[in-house]
Amino acid sequence: MTDTIGLFVHYRPVVLALPNGGCGAVANFLGFNNPERLQVALDDAGLLFRHPDFGDIATRLLSIELAESTLGGVLHQSLMRIQSLTKRPQIFRWNLEASISVEPVSLRLQISNEAELLRFDVRMRSKDALFAGAHCPPALIRKLKEQGNLWWVYGKGEEMDGREYDSMEPAEQAEWALIIEQMGLPSIQPAELVRALDEFADCAIDFRYSDLFLESMAKYLSMPLEYFEAWQAEGDSVIVDVGDDKIQGFC
């Protein structure tokens, strides 16, 4: 669809917590007797999304969806830090019929005396996630698709390229300034808008352990399902690290 904007994210990897015995629960859920046999099979499989038995491993273990709360949350919160704005501009609208494609690259189970972890290298993409809102001109759509990842645009990578944080190359800044003029939001600075868009893309695709996996893990560990549901609901308890090499953006 030409009038839609896509989103993508690649975790390289994301690290998820498991309870004691969780690696065994993962192996059991995937049809293996123990974590060691599962890990050998995973290592031998190569790129998981190309493997007939593991191509759907991410969508079996995880529930992945567009984070609807993010549309009215992160993006607007980022923009509303700009004191000159007196109301929330509608830049995007969710496409309620959008789908998400998921490509698992690799999966490693990590067991130590202190913790059990699941390290997932996984790519997620929704090609038609968003519609243009009232403040999203065609020039912004074209720019987002052309730029893709916005991480470097506003100096977020200053330690590597020597620029100051929230700085932009003059030509880039001028191009974004023209887009902002067409958006009807002249009080926003280019770096402020790009940072807000980057923060939005950073968490627009959400995931958690799937209900089927939680049910299987509860039975395997002989624990109440409600315990794992509450544990996951805390959020911070499950996602340990998103990794320094995470990439996200628009497509």
Side-chain angles (χ1 to χ4, degrees), residues 47-65:
L47 296 173
L48 298 184
F49 63 86
R50 293 181 177 175
H51 195 277
D53 295 330
F54 296 121
D56 65 345
I57 191 172
T59 51
R60 292 170 65 188
L61 287 169
L62 306 175
S63 174
I64 302 168
E65 59 190 3

Side-chain angles (χ1 to χ4, degrees), residues 11-16 118-122 207 239 241-243:
Y11 292 95
R12 306 186 298 176
V14 60
V15 181
L16 304 175
L118 187 155
R119 305 177 66 89
F120 223 143
D121 187 322
V122 60
F207 64 92
I239 300 178
D241 187 9
V242 297

Side-chain angles (χ1 to χ4, degrees), residues 19 223-232:
M223 295 180 67
L225 175 60
E226 292 77 11
Y227 168 83
F228 293 110
E229 291 175 337
W231 169 68
Q232 174 156 262

Side-chain angles (χ1 to χ4, degrees), residues 165-185:
Y165 187 79
D166 271 357
S167 65
M168 302 179 76
E169 298 292 341
E172 194 75 49
Q173 184 168 351
E175 188 172 349
W176 278 98
L178 289 174
I179 292 173
I180 289 171
E181 183 178 348
Q182 295 178 40
M183 294 173 69
L185 303 171

Side-chain angles (χ1 to χ4, degrees), residues 18 22 25-26 29 60-61 209-217:
L18 289 166
V26 172
F29 179 68
R60 292 170 65 188
L61 287 169
Y209 284 130
S210 69
D211 293 340
L212 286 177
F213 172 58
L214 288 185
E215 292 171 6
S216 174
M217 182 161 61

